[in-house]
Amino acid sequence: MSTATLLIELLTEELPPKSLKLLGDRFASGIADGLAKLGFTSTGTPHRGFATPRRLAVAIPAVLDLQPDQRVERKGPAVAAGFKDGVPTPALSGFARSVGVAVDQLERHSDGKAEHFVFRTTKRGEPLAEHLAALVESVLKTLPAPKLMRWGASDVQFVRPVHRLVMLWGDRVVPGTVLGLASGNRTRGHRFLGAGELTIASADTYEQTLREQGAVIASFEERAATIRQHLLAAAKDAALADESLIEEVTALVEQPAVYEGRFDPAFLEVPQECLMLTMKANQKYFPLLDAAGRLTNRFLIVSNIRPADTSAVVGGNERVVRPRLADAKFFFDQ
């Protein structure tokens, strides 16, 4: 038996942003717990989960390629009730048949209260490939997805269509089929900034390959921290009105960039709560407050693209927010 890092990734269509973090956490912990129960890792082995708008993944170190042999023991009928007139009772005979041995091959064991017939054997360990696909399928069925989708001509279902499956043990593909997809070592990076199709050379290089070739920050926590850092830097002398939106926008981008937009100061005549609600709920913008806690006409945009000329991105968002604020002003005026 030998060990290596195991990587599993599902490449999907855009996942529900409000559920992404929970989906990623449950997927990663479910795979890790399942491997431990099957004996491929030790209980409590650390793992790294990854979740982006288009992927769920987990990397687990020190995974065995072959289960250890397991000592199997099955408890049968009580010895006192095993024979009648020297003949095995139906219960004892049935137990012997169920474990595939003759009655005289069963052992006897006392648990301190009564003596029972027992069957003991050693189950040879099975390879990872015989269990992994079934484990992934079972974990996917437990994920918190209230609505499932079908795609193509098959009957497979998931919260969003799945296009690629990566299952790597070290640098070796673990064969298997999940949701109708055969496993491989190829995935895709950022839709616009990445190098297109990527080959994952080994499970240990997954995060680095996505970052350097795919322009994707795979870690949800790292993307969230990066977004917060960029927001605070872009705010300068102003303050973020609310940071609760960070988790949701983290689920919308794979390579975050923060830009500043502005709106007509005339809209500041409307109560700032109305304007902030409109910007956050409808557009996922971050309003900025001055030192006195009053809303300014500045807001921050978290984008998934990094053009050389950002004026089109900023201008487009400024055009979009204007009618939203105009609606808020109209309803307030009425």
Side-chain angles (χ1 to χ4, degrees):
M1 292 185 293
S2 56
T3 65
T5 300
L6 176 68
L7 169 72
I8 302 169
E9 184 207 60
L10 291 176
L11 184 69
T12 71
E13 294 292 336
E14 275 70 9
L15 294 160
K18 292 185 178 179
S19 306
L20 180 62
K21 189 174 188 307
L22 181 60
L23 287 170
D25 290 346
R26 293 281 184 86
F27 178 73
S29 62
I31 297 294
D33 292 345
L35 288 170
K37 288 178 182 177
L38 290 169
F40 290 104
T41 63
S42 301
T43 302
T45 296
H47 63 272
R48 287 208 69 195
F50 306 97
T52 81
R54 300 195 299 140
R55 76 197 73 234
L56 299 175
V58 60
I60 306 166
V63 175
L64 292 166
D65 60 342
L66 185 69
Q67 291 171 314
D69 293 345
Q70 296 178 348
R71 186 69 173 163
V72 177
E73 180 175 305
R74 286 185 58 184
K75 184 178 178 181
V79 172
F83 289 89
K84 183 175 182 180
D85 300 329
V87 178
T89 61
L92 180 58
S93 298
F95 175 69
R97 284 195 303 272
S98 71
V99 296
V101 299
V103 170
D104 60 5
Q105 293 178 281
L106 295 173
E107 300 179 32
R108 301 185 182 198
H109 175 72
S110 174
D111 59 7
K113 296 180 180 179
E115 191 177 24
H116 288 263
F117 287 99
V118 295
F119 170 73
R120 294 190 178 103
T121 188
T122 299
K123 180 184 177 184
R124 298 299 300 270
E126 297 173 338
L128 179 64
E130 290 189 14
H131 292 271
L132 189 58
L135 171 61
V136 175
E137 288 266 16
S138 67
V139 170
L140 293 180
K141 291 177 182 177
T142 68
L143 297 185
K147 292 185 178 180
L148 299 176
M149 297 179 64
R150 285 194 179 95
W151 60 95
S154 68
D155 291 329
V156 296
Q157 297 182 77
F158 191 53
V159 61
R160 291 292 185 271
V162 181
H163 297 301
R164 294 285 179 93
L165 167 67
V166 174
M167 295 199 306
L168 274 179
W169 182 82
D171 59 1
R172 193 174 77 199
V173 173
V174 181
T177 301
V178 176
L179 298 178
L181 294 169
S183 59
N185 65 346
R186 299 181 70 79
T187 186
R188 286 189 170 274
H190 193 287
R191 286 191 187 277
F192 310 110
L193 305 178
E197 194 167 84
L198 309 176
T199 298
I200 309 299
S202 75
D204 290 313
T205 64
Y206 172 71
E207 192 172 6
Q208 180 182 358
T209 301
L210 276 182
R211 185 190 306 276
E212 296 178 357
Q213 299 179 33
V216 171
I217 300 175
S219 166
F220 190 98
E221 291 73 19
E222 184 182 344
R223 284 201 317 284
T226 299
I227 289 171
R228 186 176 188 277
Q229 179 183 356
H230 289 178
L231 287 170
L232 294 176
K236 299 173 184 173
D237 56 344
L240 300 178
D242 185 2
E243 293 189 17
S244 64
L245 195 59
I246 290 179
E247 182 172 308
E248 187 173 351
V249 297
T250 300
L252 292 169
V253 298
E254 291 188 316
Q255 182 64 246
V258 174
Y259 307 115
E260 179 184 316
R262 295 174 182 259
F263 58 85
D264 188 338
F267 287 118
L268 294 174
E269 297 174 5
V270 179
Q272 66 183 44
E273 291 79 8
C274 298
L275 302 180
M276 289 192 295
L277 179 62
T278 295
M279 286 189 281
K280 291 188 298 181
N282 296 320
Q283 303 303 134
K284 314 307 177 189
Y285 297 151
F286 290 81
L288 295 177
L289 307 177
D290 63 17
R294 294 186 298 266
L295 181 66
T296 70
N297 70 321
R298 299 168 56 208
F299 62 92
L300 299 180
I301 306 148
V302 178
S303 176
N304 195 37
I305 55 176
R306 294 173 176 266
D309 180 6
T310 62
S311 60
V313 175
V314 173
N317 281 277
E318 289 177 341
R319 285 193 298 275
V320 167
V321 79
R322 181 178 178 83
R324 293 287 192 183
L325 300 181
D327 287 344
K329 184 175 186 307
F330 172 78
F331 286 112
F332 174 72
D333 290 343
Q334 291 300 307

